[in-house]
Every structure is written in structure tokens, then in C-alpha cells.
Amino acid sequence: MFSFGNKNTSLLGIDISSTAVKLLELTHTSGRGGVKNRVESYAVEPLPPTAVVENNIADMEAVGAAIRNVVARSGAKNRQAAIAVSGSAIITKVISMPASLSEREMEEQIQLEADQYIPFPLDEVNLDFEIVGTSESNAEMVDVLLAASRSENVDDRVATLEYANIVAKVVDVEAYALERAARQLGGLGNISEQTIAVADIGATTTTLNVLSNNQIIYTREQSFGGRQLTEEIQRRYGLSQEEAGMAKRQGGLPDNYISEVLEPFKEAMAQQVNRSLQFFYSSSSFNSVDHMVLAGGCASIAGIDELIEEKLNVPVVIANPFANMSVSNKVNHQALSNDAPAMMIACGLALRSFD
């Protein structure tokens, strides 16, 4: 089975991306303002360039070593985790089933009927389901979310965690983890009454998720990300990939870097985000969104929010799922703040502890 279950268990959120392993641990704290989330542990560990290729783990030992390192650096004592597979590796389908069925009866019926929805032999997939709510068209039926992935996508991630003596208690879907984290964002008002677009711009992939009434209604992935900026720095200045990545983060590049390399990349980012948004408008009944949220490592580029806001004529904010959380003294507050836009999926996974 996939694992939407295992609720009310303290879990590490571990996000394995194409360039890094990100870890987050959250707890609930009680105070005058009621229950509040608190960041207990956090760390980011870079991955070798070929460890994860097109969302698939290509070097299990390298990723396992990175997970060991990120756990050690975070100081986390917990050895149970929630992980996720990417949207491109997932098949989802909402089906209607009689509300009178027990969960076990639903499971048995889904196993019998799943081949109608899954284009692979059932012995090659992991699948799970979750009841979404009462069907709008028939009060005696419930809508059930069915999610399936090729077994290798799930098994590789579970096995990689085992290298670090971590047990995967939950295997989630990246889009649903992001949806959960989006509810923690500050600066947006009551998002349950808004349409929010979240552009997650990572190293190799830009993913646009649009949320309405706190639920994802649209997802689109395209090949574009920060690695293109790294490669241009390599080409322009004759640096290795590692040197280019470090220079991109820490500075020290020639005076023409900003005008001739960084600004054109920012323009390309704005164009890609706008293109994704136009695809959403053309495939739905929507013609506007209330806010654009920038997430992923590229969201930390100075001035990118102002540029995209100007191009799209939509209010733009940089993602910070920790805006309304307290932070443990053992966590580096400045580093967490810097990495916040890239921690959305890890945050959504860590929030599984409280489902």
C-alpha cells in the first residue's frame, strides 16, 4: 500500500529533491494563544549531481549517506519519517463509492476495480485511498481519492531511508504535502476563501499548483529551474558545477554577472511562471488568482518577487511556512529563514504528525 495512513505519529518530514535532502521536525506547543506549531529540528544536506535524476533515485548509497548526514546535523532523535513521491510519478483519481461501506469493504472493492483506473499491472503498483467527503451529486455516496505509483518509486525511497536507519511510516504525494504547508503561509489572509497559485521553482523543475478552498485544483510541471543559472555561470566563467553553485550562493562573481547572467535568468523565470499561469487560465473557468506564492530554491533570488508581480499584475509573496511557528533555540533561525521557500514539501510532510 501507499501510506496515507499512520496518523497521530511523530514524524520527521524528509524531502528528497534533485539537489538536496531537507529535514524538518515539528511539535505542538500550548500557550496563551492556543496550540502552535514549533520547529524542533531542521537541516539541509546537498546531494551529488547524479544522485537523483528526473525525480528517480539513481544512487541509493549517496542519497542514504545524505540522509544520515542530515539527521545527524539536525540533532533529531526521531527515527520515523514521512516522505513523498513526485506528482509525475503518481496517478490519482477521485471515484464515488457508497457511504455505507466500511473502510475494509472499500479497500476490497478498490482492489477489485483498480485495474479500471491504473494503466499498469496491479502487482507492479502501490496504491492507497482516502475518503475526501460526501459526494456533491449524491448524499449517499462519498468521494474517494485513489492514488497509485509504480512500486519502484515507493520502494526506492523507503529503502534509501533504511540506509540511515529511518523507517518510512508515511509515503505521501508532493502536491498534497505542499497543499498542507500552504495553509501555514503568512501574509495571505484567509486562504480558504481565495485562489492561490504556488510556483515551486527548484533546480530542474518548475511546478505550478493552484489552490482553491484550500485544495489543489490544478498542477503543471515543466522543465525549468536553477540548474540553468548554474550551467550558465559555468559556461560564462569557466567554473566547475560545484564552483558555480557556490559562487551563485555566496557571491564573488565578476561585475557583469548581475546584468548579463542573473537578470536574464530572472526574466526567464517570470516568463515561465506566467506561461504556467496562462495554461491554468486556458484550461479552467478561472481568469485570475488572488495571490502568487513563490517557493523552491529560486524564490530566494533577490527581487524576483517584485519582477513577477510587475509582469503578472498579481500580488506576489515569498513562501514562508514558518511565519506563524515558534522555533527551538537549537535551530539556526537565520538559516531556516533563508531556506524557508525551499522547505514547503518538508514542512507539509512534517505536518503529517498532526493529521
Side-chain angles (χ1 to χ4, degrees), residues 5-14 23-28 38 40-41 76-83 161 166-170 349-355:
N6 298 292
K7 316 241 181 201
N8 299 314
T9 301
S10 180
L11 300 168
L12 302 174
I14 297 180
L23 178 147
L24 188 72
E25 182 178 26
L26 301 176
T27 58
H28 272 336
R38 170 182 162 107
E40 292 292 343
S41 305
K77 304 302 180 187
N78 195 346
R79 291 297 179 267
Q80 298 187 127
I83 55 174
L161 260 66
I166 301 293
V167 177
K169 298 295 287 185
V170 169
L349 292 172
L351 285 166
R352 288 302 302 263
S353 298
F354 317 127
D355 279 1

Side-chain angles (χ1 to χ4, degrees), residues 296-355:
C298 290
S300 298
I301 295 175
I304 190 61
D305 49 342
E306 290 96 337
L307 177 63
I308 291 179
E309 184 167 311
E310 178 188 333
K311 298 286 188 183
L312 273 60
N313 197 28
V314 171
V316 175
V317 299
I318 303 298
N320 181 7
F322 313 120
N324 298 312
M325 297 187 191
S326 59
V327 180
S328 166
N329 289 333
K330 72 177 184 178
V331 170
N332 184 325
H333 290 221
Q334 187 59 54
L336 179 66
S337 177
N338 293 342
D339 285 331
M343 296 295 291
M344 288 285 285
I345 291 172
C347 180
L349 292 172
L351 285 166
R352 288 302 302 263
S353 298
F354 317 127
D355 279 1

Side-chain angles (χ1 to χ4, degrees), residues 103-117:
E103 194 164 312
R104 173 53 64 90
E105 289 170 333
M106 282 188 183
E107 182 178 331
E108 290 173 352
Q109 187 167 328
I110 286 170
Q111 292 285 355
L112 290 172
E113 300 178 3
D115 57 356
Q116 298 177 39
Y117 316 110

